Amino acid sequence: MSVWHLILREIAHRKLNFLLALISVAVAVGCLVGARTLLRSNQLVTADILAAKQQQVEDDVAKQRRIVQQEGAGLQDAMRKITKGLGFNILILPEDQDLHELHVEGTGSQTMPESHVDKLANSRIVTINHLLPVVSKKISWDEYDRTIILTGTRGEVPLAHRDLKKPLLDHVPEGTMVVGFQLHTQLGLKKEDKVKLMGREFTITETYPERGSADDSTVWVNLGEAQEMLGMQNLVNAIWALECNCATLDRVAEIRSDIAEILPGTQVIERGSEALARAEARNKAKATAQAALKYEEQAGQESLQREADGRALIEKQASDFAAVLVPVVMIGCGIWIGFLAMMNVRQRSTEIGILRAIGLTSTQILAIFLGKSVLVGLVGGILGYAGGYAVGVAWSEYAPDAESAEVLFMPSLAIIALVVAPALSALAGWLPAMWAAQQDPAVILQGD
Amino acid sequence: MLLEVRDVHKSYSSPGKTVQALDGVSISLAAGDFTAVQGPSGSGKSTLLLISGGLLAADRGEVQVADQAPYRLASDARARFRAQHIGFVFQQFHLVPYLSVLDNVMAATIPTGLNGAAARAKELLAQFGLEHRLHHVPGQLSVGERQRTALARAVLNRPQLILADEPTGNLDRDSAETVLSYLGTFAEEGGAVLLVTHDDSAAARAKSIVHMVDGKIVDVSGGSGDS
Ligand SMILES: Nc1ncnc2c1ncn2[C@@H]1O[C@H](COP(=O)(O)OP(=O)(O)O)[C@@H](O)[C@H]1O
Ligand SMILES: [Mg+2]
């Protein structure tokens, strides 16, 4: 026969004592487990809410971002179309060029060194593209008895720090000529025709369609040839450039200051500013959309934060409540278990006396009472865990279906319940068990 | 000697007074001895029995059971020693209320782990006429049946010494007769019995009778068992 047999028989005999202790442990453990399960369910609900909110914010921002991107793409497209249509829109002129003369005559009379264009090309300027040095002069085409604008161009000078771009205007080789619309239509000129200009022979390589500007009355030849013909060796009247698409709000001022730094003694004028004003409007629209995006992002983050703060507060209140309730219940139950164990020892003092008389050691007496406490703790722990878990799942905001019940199951908590409950019960029963083991059998048996 | 008590003194102190329960008592029992202790209430009979049984240390004097000094052993070792050498029987039976008759007897094997105990327990209970009571709890038994259960428990581990404190005090004549005749047989088969009783007819079953008054042995006479 073992001590365990004794424990089990005694439990079966004094059911009420066991039941009361069992309920006590079950309540304590159930309280702990229920609280933990509810807290966990709270956390899961929080995670779900925040994830949904986060998704919402992300969706909103993504939508806004798409709008901004569309706006940006629209702007870029518009800019490309506008600038392409404009052709060269920045004109770099010698500083002393009278603009009144330029507008009245169509060409300027002042010159600057051709090397200016190389300086510009070798600089790190980013606000302009496509440099085109030209000499341009209103002359009389005696062979055809016409006044024309003769423009010499050497083709675009690539910017040293940029990738090569498709030139807006092709190079005009020596001995060739490109003729504007009014001239080739009025004079009946066409490609491959050989013509004379200022005594030199040229082959027409290109006849332009109508542009509706002074270009229609212009003849283009190679820059070097034009310089020779006009006695302007190594000089140019102007450098054409194309503003790049990286326009900020005050583009022209920026370009002016950039060029002034590289080429002192020049002036910069802009053509087609009204078209660019439209581009600026688009630019502003983009900026506004970007600001709206930023606002959307910020507002989203803020509302997310508010939600998170709100949930954190709810969780804190729940966990604060549990932090007070659980220890109070546990201590209360511990005291109650100890009291029940004490009653049990008192009730069984004669039994202790006779068991000692027939040879049970005080250690075995201790084992009888502690063993019972551990058993109470173990069974109470299992019942309490099951009960607390069931209540936790049932009360949880998480819909109590099989899956969420599984999510709320915490194996570590189950282990704690099954280890801690017997340990705590043994602790509560420790003093009474010690008292039982210490009882003097002689004193008990002398009751006779 | 199975029991050797030499010049034992024992006093109890309670607030205000000290009672000299034993005052220089000596007694010895050899195998086959059956000794009754008689005396008025409060003369120290139960105290002598507890001291002899290794349950209560004397203030002074020597106690030996089966040639060993139980009080020189540590508490747990002394408990095991009791289980192996001594059987107790009390007036109040002291059965464990929640154990069946069989389990009450078998409880004696918790300290000894005796082999084949169940068979021996049933054998003993049959011998005491309790074979039909094995699975009853003490509450369902008559007083005589209870004392016979206690007796079976006392002898399960085959002790050499039985210490019985008024075992027949609560029993009817027939039950008392069963108990006393078993004690007699136990002694005849080589055990030793110390029987505390105030019943003259019970004492008469012993080989010798020790008379105590005020913690002292005042007279030793032969009982009928002596003849
Ligand atoms: N635990 C005790 N505390 C104080 N006095 C006791 C105790 N046990 C016994 N006595 C006293 O010791 C004396 C002897 O008691 P006891 O051995 O029980 O005598 P008996 O069994 O002969 O009646 C009595 O006076 C009794 O009152
Ligand atoms: Mg007595």
Side-chain angles (χ1 to χ4, degrees), chain B residues 8-208:
Chain B
V8 162
H9 295 254
K10 178 70 186 178
S11 62
Y12 297 104
S13 300
S14 45
K17 62 169 183 177
T18 298
V19 176
Q20 193 68 37
L22 291 181
D23 191 6
V25 170
S26 297
I27 189 173
S28 64
L29 273 73
D33 281 352
F34 184 175
T35 300
V37 181
Q38 284 200 293
S41 184
S43 58
K45 306 183 293 293
S46 293
T47 302
L48 174 62
L49 189 111
L50 291 172
I51 287 176
S52 303
L55 284 167
L56 181 64
D59 299 338
R60 206 141 64 75
E62 192 68 31
V63 175
Q64 285 202 339
V65 175
D67 298 322
Q68 291 187 61
Y71 294 103
R72 305 244 167 94
L73 298 173
S75 162
D76 281 3
R78 189 161 71 244
R80 279 190 291 274
F81 178 84
R82 266 199 304 275
Q84 273 155 2
H85 297 282
I86 305 166
F88 289 95
V89 187
F90 298 96
Q91 182 174 6
Q92 306 294 343
F93 329 125
H94 291 323
L95 295 175
V96 179
Y98 51 84
L99 292 181
S100 68
V101 166
L102 183 59
D103 281 348
N104 257 290
V105 177
M106 291 294 287
T109 65
I110 294 175
T112 59
L114 185 73
N115 279 328
R120 175 165 161 75
K122 285 177 190 162
E123 199 180 296
L124 280 167
L125 288 167
Q127 187 184 334
F128 293 139
L130 292 168
E131 62 269 49
H132 60 292
R133 292 294 206 187
L134 297 186
H135 303 293
H136 290 77
V137 290
Q140 298 169 308
L141 303 180
S142 71
V143 285
E145 287 170 328
R146 289 182 211 180
Q147 194 59 301
R148 280 179 270 150
T149 303
L151 194 58
R153 178 179 66 192
V155 298
L156 183 73
N157 287 323
R158 302 181 198 280
Q160 291 134 295
L161 178 64
I162 290 180
L163 302 174
D165 196 346
E166 308 270 13
T168 58
N170 286 333
L171 301 188
D172 57 86
R173 279 183 56 122
D174 283 357
S175 294
E177 176 53 33
T178 310
V179 170
L180 291 171
S181 86
Y182 182 80
L183 293 179
T185 313
F186 182 83
E188 276 164 21
E189 288 174 354
V193 176
L194 187 63
L195 169 70
V196 169
T197 184
H198 55 242
D199 176 5
D200 290 345
S201 67
R205 305 290 289 264
K207 279 207 304 192
S208 63

Side-chain angles (χ1 to χ4, degrees), chain A residues 5 86 156 203 228 311 314-315 353 403:
Chain A
H5 184 74
L86 279 173
E156 285 179 27
T203 306
E228 268 175 38
R311 290 298 306 179
I314 291 173
E315 275 178 33
E403 198 182 317

Side-chain angles (χ1 to χ4, degrees), chain A residues 276-340:
Chain A
L276 280 164
R278 254 166 47 212
E280 275 165 21
R282 296 299 299 266
N283 228 9
K284 272 185 189 152
K286 185 184 175 185
T288 310
Q290 249 157 357
L293 170 65
K294 211 164 164 190
Y295 174 78
E296 187 79 35
E297 275 173 341
Q298 225 164 27
Q301 282 310 321
E302 274 166 18
S303 95
L304 200 61
Q305 190 58 46
R306 267 198 306 281
E307 187 74 48
D309 289 349
R311 290 298 306 179
L313 187 67
I314 291 173
E315 275 178 33
K316 187 181 173 331
Q317 283 168 345
S319 95
D320 282 355
F321 181 60
V324 173
L325 178 76
V326 170
V328 164
V329 170
M330 300 256 283
I331 289 170
C333 288
I335 291 171
W336 175 236
I337 293 164
F339 172 74
L340 287 170

Side-chain angles (χ1 to χ4, degrees), chain A residues 2-163:
Chain A
S2 70
V3 161
W4 273 111
H5 184 74
L6 223 64
I7 293 172
L8 294 175
R9 299 308 313 162
E10 197 271 337
I11 286 172
H13 181 68
R14 297 199 184 90
K15 293 187 186 70
L16 186 65
N17 179 282
F18 182 71
L19 213 66
L20 287 176
L22 206 63
I23 288 168
S24 190
V25 173
V27 165
V29 171
C31 196
L32 170 74
V33 171
R36 297 296 323 162
T37 305
L38 278 173
L39 288 179
R40 173 147 175 83
S41 122
N42 261 356
Q43 281 166 353
L44 291 174
V45 168
T46 298
D48 277 6
I49 289 176
L50 292 185
K53 190 92 190 172
Q54 173 94 41
Q55 191 58 51
Q56 166 92 48
V57 168
E58 272 169 17
D59 287 354
D60 289 352
V61 168
K63 207 163 97 192
Q64 200 65 37
R65 185 168 288 130
R66 264 198 309 282
I67 292 171
V68 169
Q69 259 161 11
Q70 272 163 14
E71 207 60 49
L75 171 69
Q76 214 138 55
D77 199 40
M79 282 301 279
R80 198 173 48 75
K81 281 182 191 149
I82 290 163
T83 46
K84 207 174 153 207
L86 279 173
F88 295 99
N89 70 326
I90 298 292
L91 189 56
I92 304 166
L93 298 165
E95 194 173 32
D96 49 7
Q97 175 62 53
D98 179 2
L99 294 181
H100 176 70
E101 181 204 5
L102 183 72
H103 296 316
V104 169
E105 294 294 321
T107 62
S109 58
Q110 298 302 316
T111 59
M112 56 190 173
E114 189 188 339
S115 60
H116 269 22
V117 74
D118 300 311
K119 255 197 204 169
L120 211 51
N122 288 322
S123 74
R124 306 207 58 83
I125 194 160
V126 294
T127 43
I128 53 170
N129 275 328
H130 298 279
L131 304 177
L132 185 75
V134 294
V135 291
S136 225
K137 190 159 188 172
K138 197 194 274 181
I139 60 162
S140 164
W141 193 356
D142 294 339
E143 285 84 349
Y144 289 95
D145 195 20
R146 292 288 160 122
T147 300
I148 59 166
I149 294 170
L150 175 65
T151 297
T153 173
R154 74 176 222 207
E156 285 179 27
V157 180
L159 280 158
H161 68 282
R162 291 273 182 91
D163 291 339

